[in-house]
Amino acid sequence: SLVGATVEKVVGIAQQVDHVQRILSDQESASRAARVLQPVDVARLVSESVNLLGSDLQPAIQIKLDPSLQAAGQVLGARVALQQILINLLKNAAESIRSCSPAPSVGIIVLTATTESRDGRNMVCLSVTDNGAGIAPENQPRLFERGFSTKSRASSGQGLHWCAVTTAALNGHMEIDSAGVGHGATVSLWLPQG
């Protein structure tokens, strides 16, 4: 019927508008994060983020802070945004460890840092590695897409997308690597050296 077709078109348009508004909202929050770029000490940033999580990760999960974090110096970024990104990555790593079946005897999250010149810029690579459930190869390219999730919760699928968009606004980028299901994963956060 004509009414049915019109209703369908209106619903379709409303969904497109909603999609555009979500993209604009992502861009706005990312550009807000990028406005206050300042040198941020890597080792301090990591220890503050771990402390903010506190008992959320303990006691079944050990967090190991590699000495390379001290050597990494500073990144250029926005402290609060970077803390939110790290907390998100740590929570994801902890969830991945908890979702293992069978569970590892000890859940371990290791944070490391390296410095490298990329595209003519000095970058710091901050990595979060876990011995959790790992990621299927077919899912790896989609992990930063809005709404994509390997979890069943309705709210899932926003975290990594937000992290990637915000990191890009800070002139950095994110990568995820996993040898596959059951082999843990490493999320790398590349940021300009401060």
Side-chain angles (χ1 to χ4, degrees):
S1 80
L2 188 60
V3 172
T6 305
V7 167
E8 229 171 86
K9 278 184 187 167
V10 169
V11 167
I13 290 167
Q15 286 170 340
Q16 287 172 346
V17 167
D18 183 50
H19 181 67
V20 169
Q21 282 176 332
R22 284 193 315 223
I23 290 169
L24 291 173
S25 142
D26 276 351
Q27 288 173 340
E28 186 188 331
S29 66
S31 68
R32 266 201 311 271
R35 276 181 214 144
V36 223
L37 295 181
Q38 61 194 24
V40 178
D41 182 77
V42 171
R44 191 167 152 219
L45 171 74
V46 169
S47 65
E48 284 173 357
S49 301
V50 169
N51 289 338
L52 284 168
L53 264 177
S55 58
D56 276 12
L57 299 181
Q58 307 304 339
I61 295 171
Q62 289 181 16
I63 297 180
K64 297 187 176 180
L65 305 184
D66 191 82
S68 61
L69 295 167
Q70 294 287 347
Q74 297 179 323
V75 291
L76 199 59
R79 175 177 297 284
V80 173
L82 289 172
Q83 280 179 346
Q84 289 304 310
I85 291 169
L86 266 180
I87 286 170
N88 218 313
L89 298 183
L90 288 165
K91 281 183 173 177
N92 281 356
E95 281 180 28
S96 176
I97 290 167
R98 288 193 195 107
S99 73
C100 277
S101 180
S105 54
V106 179
I108 298 172
I109 300 171
V110 182
L111 289 103
T112 56
T114 57
T115 52
E116 194 177 303
S117 181
R118 274 192 164 193
D119 306 321
R121 288 192 309 175
N122 289 337
M123 303 288 281
V124 172
C125 176
L126 185 55
S127 295
V128 179
T129 302
D130 66 66
N131 63 341
I135 303 159
E138 64 272 16
N139 287 337
Q140 285 187 46
R142 300 196 57 207
L143 287 171
F144 296 127
E145 288 177 14
R146 172 195 277 285
F148 178 77
S149 179
T150 56
K151 302 171 199 160
S152 55
R153 291 197 322 269
S155 64
S156 295
Q158 302 303 317
L160 279 178
H161 172 76
W162 179 86
C163 289
V165 168
T166 304
T167 302
L170 299 172
N171 304 314
H173 72 277
M174 287 180 71
E175 296 169 2
I176 293 188
D177 188 47
S178 172
V181 174
H183 295 284
T186 297
V187 181
S188 299
L189 182 61
W190 290 86
L191 293 160
Q193 207 165 18

